[in-house]
Every structure is written in structure tokens, then in C-alpha cells.
Amino acid sequence: MQSIAIVIMGIIGMLFGWFVYSRFIASKIFRLDENFTTPAHEFTDGVDYVPTNKVVLWGHHFTSVAGAAPIVGPAIAVYWGWVPAVLWVVFGTIFFAGVHDMGALWASNRYKGKSMGALSEDVIGSRTRSLFMIVIFLVLLMVNAVFGVVIAKSFVSQPNAVFPAWTAIVVALIIGQLLRRNFSLVPLCIVGIIVLYASVYAGSYLPISLPDSLFGLTANANWIVILFVYAAIASLLPVWMLLQPRDFINGMQLLVGLFLLYGAVFLSMPDITAPAFNTQQALDTPSIIPLLFVTIACGAVSGFHGIVASGTSSKQLNKETDARFVGYLGAVGEGSLALITIVAVSGVALAATPEEWHEVYSHLGDGSVAAFITGGAKLIENGWGLSVDFSSTILAVMVVLFAGTTMDSGVRLQRYIIQEWGDIYNLSALKNGTLATFIAVGCCLLLAFGAGGSSGSGGMIIWPLFGSTNQILASLTLLVISVMLIKMHRPAIYTLIPMSFVLVMAFFAGIIKLKEYFLAENYLLVFLDAIVLIVSVLVMLEAWSVIAKFKQQALPKQDD
């Protein structure tokens, strides 16, 4: 019964966020204007700048930002107890993530669809742009490397998910072509979902596995290479051809998955066996503060969302007022996924007794995606009567497709960053899309294997560093939005408070991880962590200097 209380309170909170708080922020703070000419109309090119129906764009944005992170983070963080995880997800979604995502869309829209890194030059200064883009590139590098590892591990452990995962790409390509020929969206969506779930059913009988060793690499390592080859090709295709239809189909698939999971909670009313606050932690467990706030990033607030919002979504915004629907509602959707993940890994579906739960979660980092799939599948079986095997395949495919769409967008965004560097520093070679993509993918592969070894199996060691870096980026994005608001003489408290909280937590988490990586002699991650911490301090100092100068100029002159 506790699970129903968690779900109901979470839903009520997020409904308040959507119907009340987001409307206030959109109309009174950002003052979204439906008559403002968006970059999608001003620079329409049929490749990146494409005016898009807000529902389709929501599907792209939602699935691009969701990835596997709102599953991985909460499924790990529940180790500290389900109460702090639920509180951070719900309040983070309402007051942090929604404002951050909508604000990033609005800011980019007002600066001709520029990425947060590029527009920070106009808002703060040229030095800030260079520093900001370093952090953005590193976040993209880490998220792509992490999700490549997540998908590869899922393919190895869940071979039933391989066939439907690749079938979804073929379906998306076909739908993209049909939409381009003005076929109706609704029937295409229905047919696409039917085909997708038919492939899930077929996948249960068609497991696909790679050999344990091929070309001197493990199956996990080969999947990582294959996935990045695919991501490189996908990132060069026009957004209407694959990115938009795939993300929209995945968005609809997520809604089905959420319906199954939330419906199962109400139908089976499972008890919670995880502790509200875990008092049986392993001796080496780090403090919940600040680590909770970087372990759960996506699902509460995430800097990666700002990259997607300003990198691809803002270039497809049909009306500025659509930023509320796409940005804030996208954050609510992700928060809903994080919330149901906590329920799935905290209840009897995963562990029948508190003792069994502690066996699954003996250390921080245990559980994760495997716990979500196991607990979620059993939850669906108890609620809907679907077999555990079929339910496991559904959830495994959901995780894989989310992580895959994030990789699609992430590699594309890395290409944008590299090409922007080509423009900034007048390096014509970097402006070439193919070369920029090759560099982006090469860096991701180096990190995935460099941090995890030749098998790539240990690549998840990047996750804590990704969490702190990601949250630092979120605070920097909120900082840029705050400076814009201050310059426009609008209240900035609604962005400054989230910015300050997230920055403090993420910065101290980064320092903690810096010490851990140094003691473990993982000097690659020491180097990356140190760069992020130094750059974030420099960006904050630059921003404070700009705010101080602006306020000084705004003061009325005193008579002599």
C-alpha cells in the first residue's frame, strides 16, 4: 500500500508543477510570446532548423533527455532510502528541472537557436563561451560513453532486446519518409507502436548474441563499437529522417511503459520493502549529502537537458509558447519515470522482505538497471498478468531505446560543438560535419575503453563523474538564464535559488570524487574532474563580474 501513497503524492506534486508553477514561470518570468519568430522559421533549412508540431517535438525532446539516466540514477540512489530519493525527484522536477529545461529553450530561442555555450558569449562574455563549451563537450563525452556502455551491457544480458531495438530504427526511418510525404501522424504513430511491440514479442523468441570473442574484443566491447558507428551515421542524417520519428515513437512507447508500470501499482498495491532511510549501509558508503543530488540528475535536474534544449529542440520550436509544453512537460515526464523506478526497485516485486532487499542492495551502486528490469517486470506480472519474460523484454527495450536516442542526439550535439569551435577559431577542417562526427565518436570510444578497460565493462565508473559534471552544467545554464533575466529587469530568484543549491552540491561532490579518483590512481578521471571544477569557478566569476557591472550601471547617478 505504501507504493500507492508514493505514486499519488508524486503525481499530485507534478500536476501542481504543470498546471500552476510552470504557467506562472512561463507568463510572468520568461513571458513567452507566441508571436515571436522562432529560429525554426527564421533559418529553416530542412536539416536542423525545422518547425515542428509541439507534440512531435516533445517526443524528441523527452526521449533525448530521458535516456537511461532517470532509471540508473534513482535505482542506485534508493540505497540511501526511498524517502530522500522520492523527495528529490518530486521537488527537483517541479522547481528545478522544469524551470531549467523551459528556460534553456527560451534562452536559445531568443538568441537564434544558439547552444548554451555559444549564447553565453552574448549574455556574459567571450571568455565564458570558451569555458562553457568545454564543460558541455565533456558532459556530452561522458553521457555518450556511459550510455554506450549501458546499451551494450543490456544487449549482452538481455539478448531478447536486440531484435526490437534495431527494428525500431527501421520503423522510424519509414515513418520519417511517410511524414515527409504528408501522411497523417496519428495512424502512423499507432501502426508504429503496434509494429514495435510486435517486434518485442518476436524478440522474446529471437535472442541475438555476439560471440564471446570477436576481432580480439568481448561481446560487450563489440556492441559498444557497433553502437557508436550507428550513432555517427544517425547524427549526420536530417532530423526529420530518423531523429524526430524515432524519438516520437520512443516517446509513445515510454507512455505505454509508464501506463503499464503505474497501472500495475494501482492493480497490485505492492508493499515497500526497502527502508525509508537506510541505516544498514556499508562502511565505505559516501554521505548522502551531497552525493544524492548528483546520483539522481536526470529525473530531478540535469545539465544535459539544457544542451538538448538549446542544441536541437530550440531549432525545431514552432512557437515560443511551445517551450512550456516541450520543456516543462518533458521534465515532468522524466520525473514520472524516475518516480516509478524508485517504486519498482523498492517493493516486494524486487525483494519480498527487507532482508532480501538488503541482499540485492548490499553496497552503493548495486541494483541499477538490472534491478529496475527485474522489479518492474515482476510488478507488471503481478498487476497485469503478463509473463515475466515478456515484461522484462519490454523494459529492457525501453532502457535501450532511451539510451540510444540520447546517443543519437548526444553525438549530433558533439558535432555541433566541434563545428562551432571551427567557426570560433577559424579552423576550416573542423567545420566539416563528417570529420567533426569522427572526432566526437573517437573521443567517446577513448573514454569508454580508457575508463573501463579493453572490454568496456567497467565504463560505468564514469557515472559519478558524469553526475557531478552534469549538475555543475545545470547550475551554469541556470546562471546564464538568471543573467538574462537580470538584464531584462525581471525577477531572477526562481532560477538563482535552484542554481545556488545545485552548484554547491555538485561542486562538493566533484571534490569528493576528485579525491577518490586520485587515491585509486585513475588519473584520466582526475584530469577531467579537475578541468570541470576549475572551469565552473571561472564561469561563475565571469558571470558575477557582469552582474556587478550591470547593477552598477543601473544605479541612479548621485548629485555632487
Side-chain angles (χ1 to χ4, degrees):
M1 288 294 290
Q2 285 177 309
S3 59
I4 290 185
I6 294 172
V7 166
I8 290 177
M9 294 304 294
I11 290 175
I12 290 174
M14 292 183 195
L15 287 176
F16 163 79
W18 168 244
F19 286 107
V20 180
Y21 194 66
S22 72
R23 186 168 290 158
F24 165 75
I25 296 295
S27 61
K28 302 299 183 182
I29 307 302
F30 296 145
R31 302 177 191 175
L32 304 182
D33 181 4
E34 69 174 3
N35 296 316
F36 184 86
T37 302
T38 66
H41 287 283
E42 186 177 357
F43 306 112
T44 301
D45 62 4
V47 178
D48 295 318
Y49 293 87
V50 181
T52 304
N53 177 285
K54 68 179 182 180
V55 178
V56 176
L57 182 55
W58 170 85
H60 153 70
H61 182 80
F62 180 23
T63 53
S64 293
V65 300
I71 295 172
V72 176
I76 292 175
V78 76
Y79 178 77
W80 284 296
W82 64 263
V83 168
V86 167
L87 291 176
W88 174 227
V89 164
V90 174
F91 286 99
T93 295
I94 298 170
F95 299 108
F96 290 63
V99 175
H100 171 278
D101 293 15
M102 177 168 51
L105 268 172
W106 166 72
S108 179
N109 182 68
R110 288 285 167 155
Y111 281 90
K112 302 184 182 299
K114 290 183 179 180
S115 68
M116 290 306 301
L119 71 85
S120 66
E121 177 182 15
D122 300 313
V123 178
I124 300 177
S126 58
R127 285 180 296 187
T128 302
R129 176 194 61 188
S130 301
L131 296 170
F132 211 115
M133 289 175 69
I134 291 173
V135 179
I136 292 175
F137 184 83
L138 290 178
V139 167
L140 289 170
L141 178 64
M142 284 183 270
V143 76
N144 289 335
V146 167
F147 286 170
V149 172
V150 167
I151 299 172
K153 291 180 71 174
S154 297
F155 279 167
V156 172
S157 63
Q158 296 281 341
N160 292 347
V162 175
F163 177 74
W166 292 103
T167 299
I169 297 171
V170 176
V171 171
L173 287 167
I174 294 172
I175 289 177
Q177 294 295 330
L178 294 177
L179 284 175
R180 196 70 171 173
R181 289 162 174 76
N182 298 318
F183 279 71
S184 177
L185 175 63
V186 174
L188 285 178
C189 175
I190 294 173
V191 172
I193 291 294
I194 292 173
V195 173
L196 178 60
Y197 278 95
S199 71
V200 170
Y201 181 77
S204 300
Y205 299 94
L206 292 171
I208 298 174
S209 301
L210 293 180
D212 292 338
S213 179
L214 185 65
F215 304 119
L217 297 174
T218 64
N220 191 80
N222 276 305
W223 275 126
I224 292 174
V225 173
I226 292 170
L227 287 165
F228 275 108
V229 170
Y230 156 75
I233 296 171
S235 71
L236 291 169
L237 298 176
V239 291
W240 61 265
M241 186 178 292
L242 178 59
L243 190 66
Q244 284 183 349
R246 184 183 179 193
D247 288 357
F248 184 68
I249 288 294
N250 289 348
M252 295 303 100
Q253 184 245 357
L254 172 60
L255 290 180
V256 173
L258 288 176
F259 175 77
L260 290 174
L261 289 167
Y262 275 96
V265 171
F266 285 99
L267 290 171
S268 62
M269 297 185 291
D271 290 326
I272 296 296
T273 53
F277 298 92
N278 188 6
T279 58
Q280 300 181 37
Q281 300 176 15
L283 294 177
D284 60 350
T285 303
S287 171
I288 187 174
I289 297 175
L291 268 298
L292 170 69
F293 303 101
V294 300
T295 302
I296 301 179
C298 298
V301 63
S302 166
F304 179 71
H305 295 198
I307 305 175
V308 175
S310 64
T312 60
S313 299
S314 66
K315 296 176 176 63
Q316 302 169 59
L317 206 61
N318 187 39
K319 294 181 179 180
E320 185 175 79
T321 48
D322 291 348
R324 175 173 172 253
F325 186 93
V326 175
Y328 198 97
L329 197 58
V332 168
E334 188 172 71
S336 301
L337 177 57
L339 183 67
I340 199 63
T341 295
I342 294 171
V343 173
V345 301
S346 299
V348 295
L350 177 68
T353 65
E355 291 74 23
E356 289 184 12
W357 188 89
H358 281 290
E359 289 179 8
V360 176
Y361 278 89
S362 59
H363 292 84
L364 180 67
D366 292 345
S368 192
V369 174
F372 167 74
I373 293 174
T374 301
K378 188 65 177 178
L379 185 64
I380 292 173
E381 182 193 41
N382 293 340
W384 297 97
L386 298 177
S387 71
V388 170
D389 288 343
F390 182 61
S391 300
S392 297
T393 303
I394 289 176
L395 296 181
V397 170
M398 190 168 77
V399 171
V400 166
L401 292 184
F402 287 166
T405 53
T406 299
M407 284 184 64
D408 287 1
S409 296
V411 173
R412 182 182 293 266
L413 291 166
Q414 273 189 291
R415 168 168 66 83
Y416 290 164
I417 293 292
I418 294 170
Q419 288 179 302
E420 284 182 3
W421 277 333
D423 288 329
I424 293 169
Y425 301 109
N426 197 28
L427 298 172
S428 57
L430 295 183
K431 299 178 186 179
N432 181 278
T434 302
L435 179 60
T437 300
F438 179 80
I439 293 172
V441 168
C443 290
C444 292
L445 287 170
L446 284 173
L447 182 58
F449 289 106
S454 61
S455 69
S457 59
M460 283 303 291
I461 195 174
I462 307 166
W463 183 263
L465 176 58
F466 162 67
S468 57
T469 305
N470 190 36
Q471 299 303 67
I472 286 174
L473 178 58
S475 66
L476 297 182
T477 298
L478 287 166
L479 174 64
V480 172
I481 297 169
S482 299
V483 175
M484 282 183 62
L485 291 172
I486 290 170
K487 286 186 172 182
M488 299 169 80
H489 300 283
R490 298 180 189 176
I493 190 171
Y494 304 98
T495 51
L496 283 174
I497 290 177
M499 180 215 76
S500 301
F501 179 84
V502 173
L503 180 64
V504 170
M505 295 300 163
F507 194 82
F508 280 107
I511 292 175
I512 291 171
K513 299 312 297 184
L514 185 68
K515 179 181 177 181
E516 288 183 11
Y517 294 141
F518 181 78
L519 293 176
E521 298 183 353
N522 193 329
Y523 297 117
L524 171 62
L525 298 187
V526 168
F527 175 71
L528 294 176
D529 197 354
I531 287 178
V532 172
L533 292 175
I534 293 170
V535 167
S536 63
V537 170
L538 294 175
V539 171
M540 293 296 297
L541 291 175
E542 287 284 329
W544 178 251
S545 174
V546 169
I547 292 173
K549 288 180 181 178
F550 177 78
K551 287 188 173 182
Q552 184 66 35
Q553 293 170 358
L555 289 174
K557 294 182 179 180
Q558 301 292 326
D559 293 332
D560 293 333

